[in-house]
Amino acid sequence: MTDHTDGSPSTRPRYRRRTVLAALAATPLGVAAAAAARSPDRLLVVDDQDSGERLLERPVDDGQTVVLSYTHSVEKTPVRDVYEVDDDALRMVRMEFYSFGAGLPTDDVERTDDGYVVYRDDRYERLPVAPREIPGHELVVGDDRYDLVALADDRVTIQIAFDRFFTSLFNTTGMDLFGTTRGATGADNGNRVSRRP
């Protein structure tokens, strides 16, 4: 191939058409694979305990903190049950509270500047919760808060589900795969929330 008018060979690199097409075809797959490697491969899900209806889906990473936050019904002080995503389960790592009352631990309690802490190491593949209006149960994941009382009519189960395809595709494309509505914070974070009328 010559580019010069004097017939001398071109100094530009030559690419075969097949090579260029193969590179272009591989690029979206490469991007998708890289994004999949970085993306969460599991979901935090909240199901209605009786019907099994899925009320909330939210992509999470292994080791991510999940907090069940509520107010003690008698003491009227905040309680935080702190969990970490542990493979296919939730592992409770500590309970934080601000006063002693019915149902709160009394053994192995550490006093801190902010209240009391009990460190735990309990693993739950299915975490049953009975959201009620007076305690005002909320699920906190990162900066997002979900009002469990508004989501559920009665008891729920919180668990981890693996969903590699959808979470990878969601993070790769940024598409709203789950028909998302706005969460309790008002921010649309790609989380599937089923709200009851």
Side-chain angles (χ1 to χ4, degrees):
M1 174 180 176
T2 60
D3 272 349
H4 303 143
T5 55
D6 63 0
S8 61
S10 170
T11 56
R12 288 186 300 174
R14 296 184 343 179
Y15 298 103
R16 291 188 177 271
R17 184 175 174 188
R18 275 191 220 146
T19 305
V20 174
L21 290 176
L24 290 175
T27 300
L29 297 176
V31 171
R38 292 191 311 269
S39 68
D41 62 356
R42 65 205 78 203
L43 298 170
L44 176 72
V45 300
V46 179
D47 294 331
D48 183 281
Q49 207 170 80
D50 293 330
S51 69
E53 177 189 356
R54 188 157 289 187
L55 307 174
L56 172 68
E57 292 177 350
R58 193 216 196 263
V60 289
D61 288 303
D62 199 39
Q64 187 163 354
T65 300
V66 175
V67 177
L68 181 62
S69 176
Y70 54 96
T71 302
H72 192 279
S73 58
V74 176
E75 298 295 314
K76 308 300 183 191
T77 54
V79 180
R80 288 168 39 94
D81 295 341
V82 182
Y83 301 84
E84 286 181 359
V85 177
D86 181 13
D87 192 31
D88 62 347
L90 288 168
R91 183 168 55 87
M92 185 176 189
V93 293
R94 67 185 180 276
M95 175 186 275
E96 302 169 354
F97 53 100
Y98 300 88
S99 62
F100 287 98
L104 294 173
T106 56
D107 294 332
D108 301 320
V109 177
E110 289 188 20
R111 186 180 185 114
T112 70
D113 292 339
D114 297 323
Y116 304 96
V117 176
V118 174
Y119 292 97
R120 309 288 294 267
D121 189 17
D122 302 323
R123 198 169 184 276
Y124 298 89
E125 290 186 359
R126 295 171 58 83
L127 179 65
V129 177
R132 296 292 181 260
E133 192 169 332
I134 292 176
H137 292 88
E138 290 184 322
L139 197 59
V140 183
V141 186
D143 294 329
D144 301 324
R145 301 181 77 91
Y146 304 95
D147 183 346
L148 293 179
V149 180
L151 283 177
D153 286 337
D154 202 0
R155 295 177 180 272
V156 299
T157 301
I158 303 170
Q159 60 191 327
I160 301 300
F162 282 84
D163 199 343
R164 295 178 189 277
F165 174 76
F166 285 115
T167 53
S168 296
L169 186 59
F170 171 81
N171 287 305
T172 302
T173 62
M175 291 171 55
D176 183 349
L177 298 175
F178 301 120
T180 305
T181 58
R182 294 189 177 272
T185 59
D188 188 350
N189 299 304
N191 311 320
R192 180 180 182 209
V193 179
S194 170
R195 295 198 175 276
R196 298 178 180 275

